[in-house]
């Protein structure tokens, strides 16, 4: 596990999971939201985003946190491990709402309100985004380890078990839970 993707619906806890994974593995963590968004809420160009992403992808070790489906196939080509947090919409909505007003290392500004368009995007995620994510995971399954968690407890338990095994220098065979 040297090149890791953490993907899933906004509000599900991708960044929290990615930070915990970084803390256990020591892998450098890159947030796609940090690259794409400027502090004023505007975005960099697609070309600038793609150039920064290419730079990261050609490094020997990393965790990349974020969906950005336009570049998911490219990231899947380069990764060896994927964590998909496939949580219920209610969990993701609550997570997105709970972080309003919080300074976060994964975003270059503090969200002041729950944007109605963003809320709708989360509500539509299972129908508009998730099927394509599963298609791509199936397409890139070979030579990759893919974990799909359906609850925060599953993800937390995996992290706890893996961290304990790592501390004992007995890293388990990584497989889908």
């Amino acid at each position: 596990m040297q090149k890791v993707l953490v993907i899933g619906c906004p509000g599900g806890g991708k960044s929290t999971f990615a930070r915990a994974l970084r803390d256990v593995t020591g892998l450098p963590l890159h947030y796609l939201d940090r690259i794409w968004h400027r502090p004023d809420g505007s975005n960099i160009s697609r070309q600038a985003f793609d150039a920064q992403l290419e730079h990261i992808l050609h490094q020997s070790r990393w965790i990349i946190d974020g969906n950005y489906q336009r570049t998911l196939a490219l990231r899947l080509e380069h990764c060896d491990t994927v964590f998909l947090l496939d949580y219920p919409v209610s969990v993701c909505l609550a997570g997105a709402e709970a972080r309003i007003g919080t300074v976060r290392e994964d975003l270059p500004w503090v969200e002041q309100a729950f944007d109605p368009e963003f809320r709708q995007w989360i509500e539509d995620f299972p129908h508009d985004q998730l099927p394509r994510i599963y298609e791509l995971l199936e397409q890139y399954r070979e030579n990759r380890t893919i974990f799909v968690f359906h609850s925060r407890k599953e993800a937390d338990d995996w992290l706890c078990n893996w961290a304990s095994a790592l501390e004992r220098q007995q890293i388990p065979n990584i497989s889908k839970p």
Side-chain angles (χ1 to χ4, degrees):
M1 182 168 41
Q2 296 295 307
K3 297 182 176 185
V4 180
L5 299 181
V6 179
I7 58 177
C9 185
K14 293 182 305 296
S15 298
T16 301
F17 181 85
R19 279 190 294 277
L21 191 61
R22 172 198 61 198
D23 293 347
V24 171
T25 64
L27 293 170
L29 174 56
H30 304 276
Y31 300 107
L32 294 181
D33 281 343
R34 250 301 164 195
I35 297 169
W36 178 245
H37 297 289
R38 293 181 175 138
D40 67 1
S42 66
N43 305 328
I44 65 172
S45 71
R46 281 186 173 197
Q47 294 81 8
F49 179 86
D50 291 352
Q52 288 188 47
L53 179 58
E54 282 285 344
H55 176 74
I56 294 165
L57 292 174
H58 288 94
Q59 295 175 14
S60 62
R61 307 169 68 238
W62 42 256
I63 298 169
I64 299 176
D65 161 46
N67 285 318
Y68 292 77
Q69 201 163 103
R70 180 181 70 80
T71 64
L72 184 54
L74 175 65
R75 287 178 282 132
L76 284 167
E77 288 174 16
H78 287 83
C79 77
D80 58 41
T81 307
V82 179
F83 292 92
L84 169 58
L85 309 185
D86 183 2
Y87 299 164
V89 170
S90 59
V91 169
C92 298
L93 287 169
E97 193 160 10
R99 67 189 188 195
I100 294 170
T102 304
V103 175
R104 299 168 27 209
E105 75 178 67
D106 57 302
L107 198 61
W109 71 80
V110 175
E111 295 168 298
Q112 298 301 321
F114 200 165
D115 178 64
E117 285 182 40
F118 186 51
R119 174 186 288 276
Q120 190 62 55
W121 200 81
I122 293 171
E123 289 174 354
D124 294 340
F125 188 87
H127 309 290
D128 293 349
Q129 303 291 317
L130 205 50
R132 180 65 179 142
I133 290 171
Y134 274 107
E135 286 173 17
L136 286 168
L137 290 178
E138 187 58 38
Q139 181 180 343
Y140 287 93
R141 179 166 296 285
E142 191 172 325
N143 299 319
R144 283 158 192 81
T145 303
I146 300 172
F147 297 90
V148 179
F149 299 123
H150 295 284
S151 71
R152 288 190 175 145
K153 182 176 180 347
E154 283 182 0
D156 291 345
D157 287 350
W158 184 91
L159 271 170
C160 184
N161 291 334
W162 199 76
S164 294
L166 187 62
E167 285 176 6
R168 292 187 314 269
Q169 298 296 328
Q170 299 172 352
I171 302 170
N173 245 354
I174 299 174
S175 63
K176 189 175 175 180

